[in-house]
Amino acid sequence: MDNNDLNNVKWFRSAAPYINAHRGKTVVLMFGGEAVSHPNFSNIIHDISLLRSLGVKLVVVHGARPQIEERMAQRGISQHIARDVRVTDAETLVAVKDATGSLRLHIEALLSNGLVNSPMHGAQNRVSTGNFVVAMPMGVKEGVDYKYTGSVRRVDSVGINMQLDYGSIVLLSPIGYSPTGEVFNLALEDVAAQTAIALKADKLISLIDKDGLLDQSGELIRSCSVRRVKSLLADNDCHIRQLLLKAIIKSGENGVERCHSVSYQTDGALLQELFTRDGSGTLIAQDHKEQIRTASIDDVGGILELIAPMEEEGILVKRSRELLEMEINQFIVIEKEDAIIACAALYPYHEAKCGELACVVTHPEYRGGNRALRLLNEVEAQAKNMQLQQLFVLTTVSAHWFQEQGFIHQPTSALPKDKQQMYNIQRNSKVFMKDI
């Protein structure tokens, strides 16, 4: 087996936990008409088919903005945009129907491709479309009559779930229907967000022209909370359409646990985001009512109270108040209603390019809520920012939990030299390490 084949095997093995985690989950995938026109779109179709074959329940929502503009130009129809929303009169509605209908048929055809020489050979995808989105007119706002431009009134979650349970990929266009028989032009972002909320989807994924969400300096944000997205929305120079940011915020605040933004221009970005540890774009996690933050001197008392029972049982090495005060900047805490309910510490060893994860403690009344995992993720993020490449932990009772999080048992000789000299032989703690 050559190196390339071996690397493929290693990647496939490392992807297995993510494949298992996504099987049976409902994912709403959204992209604009720009993505459909991009040369990489055929690869995206292949990846959508692969996700379906791996057991992911997929709702695909497409936009059609450039295609609508092209039809309008062909018909000599002038555009009227108000507050970043297209005003849809009767003439424009004809162009909207033409563009969205043609695009929907094009995507259906691509998803139906099963040629022997294609990556989708044998896929036999079922694609379901229909009047799943009930719309209402936007009406008149600030003196502007939006006419046939509408907003989502209701999503037929029962009908969509029925098709998903049949194994179909559900394809939604930015079109809605009213009980009076009218057709309305909708925003892609509104359809996707409302669908994700109605389905109680596990993820909302947006394919955009950037690698993901960018900060003010144009740097990629690897992961953030919905709260951070709100700050981006307030920043007029955030490089991302405001309608998309609003859709992410609305989804996150209404039960969608995870939102992702990845590039439609990069081949494999969608798979890399879902099936690798580091991903390719931006992961936006739902805000927790509890706050996770770096500890301050005011937290010393709360941390001492939290870790005292573990010290008495001999699970943790005892720390004096004085030592904790000196090391307080190494700690992160989870706070709820002014009480410290969990903590962890990171001690960097810069020369060895590794860090020690220590003092991971959750209050007994708050165990079972993945708080330790949230702390670990925060410590990993801090360690990466410090250019560290590994984390290690010494434990006497929690070996299995750390192994479940990807830590591997190592001999004490694998520890940094400074830590080896401080190793307590009498405690006989086990050493576990993890690449980050």
Side-chain angles (χ1 to χ4, degrees):
M1 183 180 293
D2 61 29
N3 288 335
N4 286 335
D5 289 338
L6 185 59
N7 289 335
N8 289 338
V9 170
K10 289 181 178 179
W11 184 90
F12 193 59
R13 286 172 177 165
S14 66
Y18 302 100
I19 293 172
N20 291 330
H22 287 94
R23 184 178 292 112
K25 298 302 172 84
T26 300
V27 173
V28 176
L29 178 66
M30 60 182 284
F31 49 80
E34 300 84 355
V36 182
S37 301
H38 195 272
N40 188 51
F41 189 66
S42 60
N43 293 322
I44 293 173
I45 289 291
H46 298 156
D47 293 345
I48 289 173
S49 180
L50 177 58
L51 289 177
R52 177 65 204 94
S53 70
L54 293 174
V56 179
K57 297 180 177 181
L58 277 171
V59 179
V60 177
V61 186
H62 74 86
R65 178 174 292 217
Q67 289 81 5
I68 293 172
E69 291 175 352
E70 181 182 355
R71 262 73 169 182
M72 292 178 67
Q74 291 172 352
R75 292 170 168 80
I77 304 170
S78 58
Q79 294 192 67
H80 184 191
I81 306 293
R83 299 168 63 195
D84 202 29
V85 176
R86 186 188 309 281
V87 176
T88 308
D89 57 19
E91 282 188 311
T92 303
L93 184 61
V94 175
V96 169
K97 290 178 179 179
D98 182 10
T100 55
S102 298
L103 209 56
R104 176 175 59 80
L105 291 173
H106 175 60
I107 296 171
E108 281 187 22
L110 291 175
L111 287 170
S112 302
N113 181 10
L115 294 177
V116 173
N117 62 347
S118 81
M120 294 173 62
H121 174 57
Q124 295 183 333
N125 290 322
R126 298 190 196 96
V127 182
S128 175
T129 61
N131 58 340
F132 295 117
V133 179
V134 179
M136 59 185 179
M138 284 186 63
V140 179
K141 293 186 176 181
E142 297 183 2
V144 177
D145 184 356
Y146 285 87
K147 300 179 180 179
Y148 291 101
T149 300
S151 57
V152 177
R153 178 178 179 183
R154 180 175 58 83
V155 174
D156 180 9
S157 58
V158 174
I160 292 176
N161 277 320
M162 188 179 299
Q163 295 302 318
L164 293 176
D165 290 340
Y166 286 155
S168 300
I169 297 172
V170 175
L171 179 63
L172 300 180
S173 300
I175 290 288
Y177 307 90
S178 73
T180 58
E182 292 177 293
V183 176
F184 289 96
N185 179 24
L186 306 178
L188 157 70
E189 296 84 356
D190 187 25
V191 175
Q194 295 288 6
T195 301
I197 293 167
L199 295 176
K200 298 180 174 59
D202 299 281
K203 291 180 182 290
L204 170 65
I205 303 175
S206 58
L207 299 179
I208 61 176
D209 60 345
K210 309 289 191 303
D211 288 334
L213 302 187
L214 309 179
D215 62 18
Q216 288 179 318
S217 64
E219 293 294 318
L220 175 65
I221 302 171
R222 286 289 182 182
S223 62
C224 66
S225 66
V226 174
R227 190 181 302 110
R228 176 78 183 279
V229 180
K230 287 183 177 179
S231 69
L232 293 176
L233 184 60
D235 173 20
N236 293 327
D237 191 28
C238 64
H239 312 281
I240 304 293
R241 266 170 58 86
Q242 288 198 347
L243 285 176
L244 173 59
L245 297 179
K246 289 178 179 178
I248 292 172
I249 293 168
K250 189 166 190 176
S251 300
E253 290 183 338
N254 288 275
V256 180
E257 287 282 344
R258 295 285 186 271
C259 296
H260 300 257
S261 285
V262 298
S263 171
Y264 63 70
Q265 301 185 35
T266 304
D267 186 15
L270 177 59
L271 298 182
Q272 185 180 347
E273 177 69 10
L274 295 180
F275 299 119
T276 66
R277 182 176 59 194
D278 294 329
S280 65
T282 303
L283 164 64
I284 304 100
Q286 188 181 49
D287 286 334
H288 294 270
K289 295 180 180 179
E290 304 155 0
Q291 180 184 6
I292 186 168
R293 59 175 175 78
T294 302
S296 70
I297 196 68
D298 295 331
D299 299 317
V300 170
I303 294 175
L304 285 172
E305 184 178 347
L306 179 66
I307 66 178
M310 306 281 280
E311 292 177 340
E312 291 174 4
E313 293 180 31
I315 298 173
L316 294 179
V317 177
K318 287 192 176 182
R319 286 174 170 80
S320 66
R321 175 178 285 272
E322 291 75 16
L323 178 61
L324 186 57
E325 288 177 352
M326 292 175 58
E327 298 179 344
I328 194 63
N329 291 332
Q330 314 297 133
F331 278 76
I332 58 174
V333 297
I334 296 180
E335 179 186 36
K336 182 175 183 179
E337 296 177 354
D338 298 325
I340 304 300
I341 63 171
C343 70
L346 171 62
Y347 297 95
Y349 291 78
H350 292 288
E351 290 186 3
K353 293 187 177 180
C354 66
E356 179 181 8
L357 170 65
C359 203
V360 183
V361 181
T362 303
H363 192 283
E365 295 181 5
Y366 294 94
R367 290 172 186 164
N370 287 328
R371 292 174 179 84
L373 183 57
R374 289 172 57 199
L375 289 170
L376 172 59
N377 291 338
E378 183 67 21
V379 167
E380 286 189 16
Q382 290 187 8
K384 288 178 182 178
N385 288 336
M386 296 178 185
Q387 307 300 315
L388 305 182
Q389 298 175 356
Q390 284 185 318
L391 285 179
F392 70 86
V393 63
L394 304 180
T395 182
T396 56
V397 298
S398 302
H400 283 187
W401 186 84
F402 286 108
Q403 286 178 305
E404 290 168 6
Q405 312 314 318
F407 284 79
I408 299 173
H409 185 235
Q410 299 286 358
T412 55
S413 59
L415 293 171
K417 291 183 179 180
D418 291 347
K419 189 63 183 180
Q420 289 183 43
Q421 296 173 1
M422 298 170 59
Y423 181 79
N424 188 333
I425 298 177
Q426 292 181 335
R427 283 183 60 82
N428 195 28
S429 300
K430 293 183 178 181
V431 178
F432 290 87
M433 305 192 80
K434 178 182 181 180
D435 294 333
I436 58 173

